[in-house]
Amino acid sequence: SATNRLIGAKDHAAVQINIADVNEDGVITGSTKSFAICGMVRARAESDDSLNRLASKAGYLKSPARPDDFHDGDREALEGKLRSALETLSQIRVSVENHELADEGVLEQRVDRLVRGYADMFAIKDRLNVNIPEDVLSYVRDGRNPDEFTSQFMERVASENQFTNGKIAALTNFKQEFEAQLQEFFPEELKERKKEA
């Protein structure tokens, strides 16, 4: 499950999603992988994040390709530590919100695992060479999704590209019209100019 806890029988908002395995031809093999998401996670609108995390852990989702400006092993290690930290934070929040059911020993283990994960990430940082735009960091600091920055950047680039294409088309039309007018009013001079060129 998304929270690593048993889902109660009275949790009627909980869902279970079964993903079928397929062979190389895209035909269902008959085996499936089940993911359970409790009502509390769904009520907080975290189902998509939880499902992505579970599917990545199960090997159904692959990380997108990134620039090869640092070692793949370090990048993969950092991504794994980040995923683990996010999962641990989610488990800690569930434990704290359900404090009457929380076992202090379990909570201490999760906090300890989180701190060790942060220490491991800190140790990896000097081996990485990643340039992140300041605007993306501002989005993260403000609690906004960095994908919004990518989306807005792509829209801005597309708009500027369309504007540039419009200018190119206008200059091409002007050139053709100018040449036509020169041919009509100054045919002899144009012929001489072409000979000189």
Side-chain angles (χ1 to χ4, degrees):
S1 73
T3 58
N4 284 340
R5 295 175 67 92
L6 291 174
I7 295 176
K10 296 190 184 245
D11 187 352
H12 300 297
V15 295
Q16 177 174 309
I17 299 172
N18 297 325
I19 298 178
D21 292 320
V22 296
N23 60 21
E24 56 275 359
D25 298 321
V27 178
I28 296 174
T29 61
S31 62
T32 60
K33 178 73 174 174
S34 300
F35 300 116
I37 299 174
C38 67
M40 181 186 62
V41 171
R42 295 184 66 212
R44 291 196 308 240
E46 294 178 356
S47 301
D48 55 344
D49 180 59
S50 298
L51 189 58
N52 286 340
R53 184 168 34 82
L54 291 170
S56 296
K57 194 173 180 182
Y60 287 110
L61 289 179
K62 300 294 181 193
S63 298
R66 286 175 171 79
D68 295 326
D69 55 356
F70 49 87
H71 297 102
D72 284 342
D74 292 334
R75 174 184 57 99
E76 289 171 4
L78 180 61
E79 288 178 352
K81 294 292 182 186
L82 285 169
R83 278 194 295 269
S84 177
L86 289 172
E87 185 174 340
T88 304
L89 282 168
S90 177
Q91 293 170 357
I92 289 172
R93 182 166 64 180
V94 170
S95 296
V96 171
E97 287 179 355
N98 298 325
H99 59 277
E100 68 279 357
L101 303 174
D103 180 356
E104 285 188 21
V106 172
L107 183 59
E108 286 177 9
Q109 288 176 0
R110 290 174 177 170
V111 171
D112 182 57
R113 187 166 68 233
L114 181 66
V115 171
R116 279 188 279 109
Y118 284 150
D120 292 341
M121 284 188 272
F122 186 79
I124 294 172
K125 74 175 178 59
D126 293 329
R127 301 197 302 268
L128 301 179
N129 179 22
V130 185
N131 295 318
I132 300 174
E134 183 61 34
D135 291 339
V136 174
L137 296 176
S138 297
Y139 268 62
V140 174
R141 277 194 294 267
D142 295 341
R144 299 166 67 189
N145 189 338
D147 288 342
E148 284 181 40
F149 172 81
T150 304
S151 175
Q152 291 174 4
F153 180 78
M154 293 301 293
E155 287 174 9
R156 194 164 62 247
V157 168
S159 175
E160 290 174 2
N161 185 49
Q162 189 175 9
F163 178 73
T164 303
N165 286 339
K167 289 173 72 173
I168 291 171
L171 286 171
T172 302
N173 291 338
F174 173 76
K175 178 177 178 281
Q176 292 171 348
E177 182 65 26
F178 186 66
E179 287 177 348
Q181 293 291 328
L182 285 174
Q183 184 66 39
E184 181 179 347
F185 293 103
F186 304 101
E188 296 301 323
E189 289 83 351
L190 193 59
K191 282 181 184 177
E192 290 178 10
R193 179 70 177 152
K194 287 181 177 177
K195 285 179 185 177
E196 289 175 5

